[in-house]
Amino acid sequence: MCGIAGWVAFETDLTTRSETVDEMTGTMACRGPDDSGTWIRPQVALGHRRLAIIDLPGGRQPMSVRTPRGEVAMVYSGETYNFQDLREELLRKGHEFRTVSDTEVVLHGYLEWGDAVAERLNGMFAFAIWDARVDKLVMIRDRLGVKPFHYYPTRDGVLFGSEPKAILANPLARKVVDIDGLRELVGFTVAPKWSLWKDMYEVEPGTIVTVCREGIRERRYWSLEPQRHEEELDATIAHIRELMTDIVHRQLVSDVPRCVLLSGGLDSSAVTGLAAARLASLGEQLRTFSVDFVGREETFKADENWDSPDTPFIRDVTNLVGSTHQFITLKPEDLTNPDLRRAVITCRDMPVGFGETDSSLYLMFEAIRRQSTVALSGESADEVFGGYRWMHDPEAVNAKTFPWLAYRSPMSGDRTAFLAPHIRAQMDLDAYIDSQYASAVSAVGHLDDDNDHQRVMRVNQNLHLTRFVRMLLDRKDRISMAVGLEVRVPFCDHRLIEYLYNTPWSMKTFDGREKSLLRAATKHVLPESVQGRRKSPYPSTQDPGYALSLQQQAKEVIADRDHPVHELLDQDWLADIVQQDVSKPSDARRGIDRVLDMYHWLDLYQPTLEF
């Protein structure tokens, strides 16, 4: 896992711009604290920051190979879990290796198969290859978009980086945010290629972007395709169990300490059970970590989101599998520190407004990083197996919009209320969401004999796997890599996703509950309490001191009358919001988080606003 940056300029001598390349690469230091390197030629500059995971002494980058027709160089971020299989195949074809790293395997894979190497990779990755044989840059991103990848076209080439900050460090990139960027920031449709920053784009998941003198071209190498599911229920469960076991085994490969993020829910507990069994067979003990809040278990009050605290279920799992577990326990004052909020905004490059959800995740990852470099997560199981509550709500499923916006949730409230009236009118958010929804649905393929319900559910799952999951994957990657922790996501293995995408919804709910197939496939490694547990969201503090501190900070924003944030805010709304009860997660509390994020983001980035 690493951070990459680069610059291609067909009409500029980049050997004279090494200082700028170093600045771009330096912004990725958090993603790669172990090593740094650049590779500069007249038309191209590649930068790399390394977090050493596999082949600690041999995997340095940028990595290059000389061929009779020219040099081929690469910067790579991520992990290829089947690199050992590919290495054996390439050895049989006559390739010679100097290291045992997955990076070198991917580079030689490109030499053998060209950009079709992407189709052979099992993993999470974002990499760029400069092919001097034909003077072109090839940028490739993994199928689900686990690893971030951005680019910015220029007059004579392109800038690229793992994160926007790498691109923004180049003076050719303008720090401009227009109404289109702001619209998606609060729209939560996860529009393809979107970036908050004007003229910047994402490399789409499952896509290859090629840059040459003639311009920029895209080719999709992977997408969700409808297939007929032929297996009966028992065979389906057995196949999922076999897949999950193989996936977790592959993702445990590491030359540095690894662990599992354990929440006590079905998803992370399944990964924990499979990982613990594998490590036990190797004579090792698994380490697990979770986040908690001071006094949460003792003072917990059930509500519409949380039926119970996580800690009793976590103990049941650790007692069953024998892991060494640590609770990362946070205090309200930890979460409300403005410096922490600024750190989270910096790692995400935008004012998302997720508040304590992001802040607590940052603090947990920071604590874990002191003891481990790799962590496996249960992220994305809900999208793959059908776990979200709105997926089982007929009104949300059948609404002519994104189901996560139709269901009552933190994303479905009035997310523009904090903005000044003239900005809200300019956004026309409802029309934008309708347009994005229509575009997303039109891209979904169906089998000829799918009935209406099957079509609705296929659309439902497609939207989650091609849109919603990207938001959560970006969040987890950016926050974890801000502290140099690599988080792996077994449920994003494309083999599992392709299989489950085409498994009938009736099988996914065969026992009348959400995620029926995951529960059945992993019950052999789960305690009974977790098998019967209802889905619970990421934990939130219920301490009233947290809410009071938020309101006080919002009052300080009001008092700072000369700050540019006031040009964006609805002043009547702001005056009212600081008087409301925000002791529990609510639209008011989330509104304050958005205001505070916007306030600090403007200070940190000083963008030009074009709206």
Side-chain angles (χ1 to χ4, degrees), residues 349-462:
D349 290 314
M350 56 185 177
V352 181
F354 282 2
E356 65 181 287
T357 304
D358 280 359
S359 299
S360 62
L361 195 66
Y362 184 99
L363 292 175
M364 178 177 70
F365 287 159
E366 188 176 50
I368 292 173
R369 182 60 177 88
R370 300 187 188 108
Q371 304 176 57
S372 184
T373 311
V374 171
L376 272 65
S377 166
E379 191 78 79
S380 307
D382 289 310
E383 289 84 357
V384 178
F385 284 92
Y388 290 115
R389 294 183 184 181
W390 55 75
M391 287 179 161
H392 305 268
D393 180 90
E395 185 174 340
V397 167
N398 291 289
K400 299 302 181 183
T401 190
F402 297 98
W404 54 88
L405 299 181
Y407 188 80
R408 175 62 181 171
S409 75
M411 290 169 290
S412 62
D414 184 354
R415 301 176 305 284
T416 66
F418 72 101
L419 293 169
H422 73 278
I423 297 177
R424 290 203 303 269
Q426 190 178 350
M427 292 177 71
D428 196 6
L429 190 60
D430 289 342
Y432 171 76
I433 292 173
D434 290 345
S435 175
Q436 286 294 324
Y437 178 74
S439 175
V441 171
S442 68
V444 181
H446 299 277
L447 297 175
D448 291 340
D449 58 352
D450 280 350
N451 60 38
D452 289 345
H453 179 69
Q454 290 169 330
R455 286 173 175 264
V456 166
M457 297 315 297
R458 189 180 295 280
V459 166
N460 188 295
Q461 190 156 19
N462 186 286

Side-chain angles (χ1 to χ4, degrees), residues 392-610:
H392 305 268
D393 180 90
E395 185 174 340
V397 167
N398 291 289
K400 299 302 181 183
T401 190
F402 297 98
W404 54 88
L405 299 181
Y407 188 80
R408 175 62 181 171
S409 75
M411 290 169 290
S412 62
D414 184 354
R415 301 176 305 284
T416 66
F418 72 101
L419 293 169
H422 73 278
I423 297 177
R424 290 203 303 269
Q426 190 178 350
M427 292 177 71
D428 196 6
L429 190 60
D430 289 342
Y432 171 76
I433 292 173
D434 290 345
S435 175
Q436 286 294 324
Y437 178 74
S439 175
V441 171
S442 68
V444 181
H446 299 277
L447 297 175
D448 291 340
D449 58 352
D450 280 350
N451 60 38
D452 289 345
H453 179 69
Q454 290 169 330
R455 286 173 175 264
V456 166
M457 297 315 297
R458 189 180 295 280
V459 166
N460 188 295
Q461 190 156 19
N462 186 286
L463 295 178
H464 283 83
L465 292 170
T466 61
R467 296 235 177 181
F468 189 75
V469 74
R470 298 181 188 179
M471 176 168 50
L472 301 183
L473 290 173
D474 184 75
R475 167 182 177 257
K476 184 148 287 183
D477 175 272
R478 300 285 286 278
I479 296 176
S480 65
M481 291 305 295
V483 298
L485 177 69
E486 173 176 295
V487 174
R488 299 177 177 179
V489 278
F491 291 109
C492 283
D493 187 292
H494 70 278
R495 298 170 298 164
L496 182 71
I497 286 173
E498 290 170 352
Y499 186 75
L500 266 297
Y501 180 66
N502 288 294
T503 303
W505 187 255
S506 57
M507 278 194 182
K508 292 188 177 80
T509 57
F510 75 85
D511 63 358
R513 305 188 59 190
E514 83 286 350
K515 292 185 285 194
S516 306
L517 290 172
L518 177 60
R519 188 177 292 104
T522 59
K523 65 180 181 181
H524 61 297
V525 296
L526 296 173
E528 289 188 11
S529 61
V530 172
Q531 291 183 48
R533 189 184 185 190
R534 181 176 177 236
K535 176 175 172 55
S536 184
Y538 183 83
S540 173
T541 180
Q542 295 182 326
D543 192 306
Y546 173 80
L548 291 173
S549 179
L550 279 187
Q551 284 187 314
Q552 179 56 40
Q553 290 181 37
K555 291 176 182 177
E556 292 170 5
V557 170
I558 293 177
D560 190 0
R561 297 304 308 171
D562 295 330
H563 196 279
V565 74
H566 290 288
E567 298 175 13
L568 306 178
L569 301 180
D570 184 322
Q571 297 301 316
D572 292 338
W573 175 90
L574 183 59
D576 177 64
I577 208 74
V578 295
Q579 306 300 325
Q580 292 189 27
D581 178 13
V582 293
S583 59
K584 294 181 180 180
S586 62
D587 287 346
R589 183 151 138 183
R590 284 182 284 273
I592 290 178
D593 274 321
R594 292 189 182 102
V595 168
L596 295 177
D597 271 16
M598 193 71 73
Y599 178 84
H600 291 292
W601 173 72
L602 288 170
D603 281 345
L604 289 165
Y605 286 85
Q606 299 182 6
T608 298
L609 304 179
E610 294 185 348

